[in-house]
Amino acid sequence: MIQSANPAAIAQAAQALQAGQLVGLPTETVYGLAANASDDAAVAQIFVAKGRPADHPLIVHVASPEQVPLFAAQVPGFAQRLMQAFWPGPLTLILPRQPGVATASAAGQDSIGLRCPSHPVAQALLQACLLLGVQGLSAPSANRFGRVSPTTAAHVQSELGPDLLILDGGDCEVGIESTIIDCSRGEPVLLRPGQITRAQIAAACGRAVLDKDAPKDVMGQPAPRASGTLESHYAPRARVRLMPALDIAHKLQALGPHANNLGLWSAERPDAGSGVVWRAQPQSAEQAAHDVFSVLRELDARGVTQIWVQLPPDTPEWEGVRDRLQRAAA
Ligand code: TXA
Ligand code: MG
């Protein structure tokens, strides 16, 4: 059930988490499906609810940097600088894991992903959990595995059903998942682009940011697995195709009145009939990130069989949105 995130509902959610239950949680990026990070049986239920493969680790959410040493064995200086610059906020750091903690979340990795969210409801819940002895919340995006991430409480309910307690914190401001930086191998490595750009990361930590497919011999070890980094992910039911604006215009012209059951996310309103459902693609990368998952979800719900998406600009601030679209189209 969806509950407005007032103090009573937050207290109830904290108690449910302490008791080993799952809670749908708003964050500034997307909604998460949360469990007590130190309760392996509760965390195992997340994998079941999502249909997520057992070898895909979860991010542990903490109230503040103070909880980091409980989960991370070691924090390099550059990671410390990233926390100072961007926490609370949409940044996840992969760090060497404290042996024996958050085992189910780590899914076989000897590292742990940590994030301190800025959403006031997430913060309030994490604080309420701390008072009950719950030090961190494991939370993947609250969607079935491989599907589009939820950015409203209603999306979460449509993914995971009516029984789950979901705190309604409004629609998510950022709209795409956190930037993930692997800090476990001596140099910052970008595992997943997000609102915080690689240039911002580099500036804040004073190091060049490596790519996740940096050759093995540069890093010494292969990059860790990350499900958000699978080539095909974020898939709506409809087939997604990414195209330059000009191609969209030409194809629409060729189809003429035969364009049907077609969703379109592009900057310019097309000259097309009622068989085309158009949504405006914002000019700003930030607004586009905010909109992208809810537009895909809405077009899907309208039953279109294809969604044509205008290829966003190839500039750094669009990297996160481009990444999600490329994987929705894969
Ligand atoms: O914005 C977000 O990060 C959202 C909200 C709910 O906080 N969460 C989220 O979780 O996107 P999820 O599970 O959908 O994506 C987490 C990504 C996955 O690709 C996972 O493989 C990676 O983080 N990850 C987590 N722990 C890791 C680890 N120890 N090593 C490598 N990758 C890790
Ligand atoms: Mg996800």
Side-chain angles (χ1 to χ4, degrees):
M1 72 243 64
I2 297 177
Q3 295 238 354
S4 163
N6 55 46
I10 288 168
Q12 185 199 345
Q15 278 160 17
L17 288 161
Q18 187 199 29
Q21 287 158 27
L22 306 186
V23 168
L25 164 74
T27 84
E28 68 278 20
T29 56
V30 300
Y31 274 72
L33 178 62
N36 177 357
S38 304
D39 182 340
D40 283 350
V43 172
Q45 287 181 52
I46 293 179
F47 286 84
V48 175
K50 276 186 65 99
R52 182 175 175 117
D55 61 349
H56 288 278
L58 308 180
I59 296 169
V60 174
H61 297 67
V62 292
S64 77
E66 269 176 59
Q67 284 76 46
V68 168
L70 300 170
F71 296 100
Q74 182 210 328
V75 184
F78 73 88
Q80 209 89 52
R81 292 194 285 280
L82 292 177
M83 282 180 212
Q84 272 157 18
F86 300 113
W87 278 13
L91 176 68
T92 297
L93 303 178
I94 310 295
L95 293 161
R97 182 164 56 100
Q98 199 65 261
V101 305
T103 315
S105 282
Q109 308 276 333
D110 51 14
S111 57
I112 189 81
L114 294 177
R115 160 158 138 75
C116 174
S118 62
H119 194 291
V121 175
Q123 271 294 326
L125 183 63
L126 284 163
Q127 296 290 347
C129 282
L130 271 183
L131 294 177
L132 299 178
V134 174
Q135 314 279 3
L137 296 177
S138 301
S141 51
N143 50 281
R144 307 264 317 152
F145 182 70
R147 318 294 311 185
V148 177
S149 296
T151 58
T152 68
H155 293 167
V156 179
Q157 190 161 65
S158 77
E159 288 282 323
L160 298 170
D163 295 338
L164 177 70
L165 170 61
I166 303 163
L167 291 176
D168 189 351
D171 78 331
C172 300
E173 206 181 311
V174 176
I176 58 173
E177 305 84 347
S178 58
T179 304
I180 304 182
I181 302 292
D182 178 19
C183 305
S184 70
R185 297 181 294 152
E187 298 290 336
V189 180
L190 180 67
L191 296 186
R192 181 174 71 185
Q195 186 194 51
I196 298 172
T197 63
R198 63 170 83 217
Q200 288 176 288
I201 298 286
C205 73
R207 303 272 190 102
V209 177
L210 301 180
D211 276 319
K212 66 169 185 291
D213 30 9
K216 230 174 157 176
D217 49 330
V218 175
M219 297 302 303
Q221 295 161 40
R225 261 186 313 269
S227 78
T229 64
L230 291 179
E231 206 168 313
S232 162
H233 212 71
Y234 310 118
R237 271 177 287 273
R239 174 155 177 246
V240 178
R241 297 179 64 183
L242 265 176
M243 289 181 269
L246 214 57
D247 287 13
I248 291 179
H250 285 152
K251 280 180 187 294
L252 281 176
Q253 204 172 29
L255 280 173
H258 304 294
N260 268 314
N261 297 321
L262 179 63
L264 188 59
W265 195 42
S266 62
E268 300 287 329
R269 178 186 282 279
D271 183 13
S274 60
V276 179
V277 186
W278 174 71
R279 292 291 171 269
Q281 189 181 94
Q283 301 289 335
S284 104
E286 271 194 18
Q287 187 61 41
H290 173 273
D291 293 359
V292 59
F293 287 141
S294 67
V295 165
L296 291 179
R297 205 174 265 279
E298 191 219 332
L299 292 174
D300 224 14
R302 286 170 169 265
V304 301
T305 53
Q306 292 206 20
I307 301 173
W308 294 359
V309 176
Q310 180 178 332
L311 199 61
D314 192 7
T315 52
E317 70 273 18
W318 283 86
E319 187 176 7
V321 175
R322 266 202 330 274
D323 166 78
R324 302 314 188 275
L325 288 172
Q326 272 152 2
R327 278 182 292 121

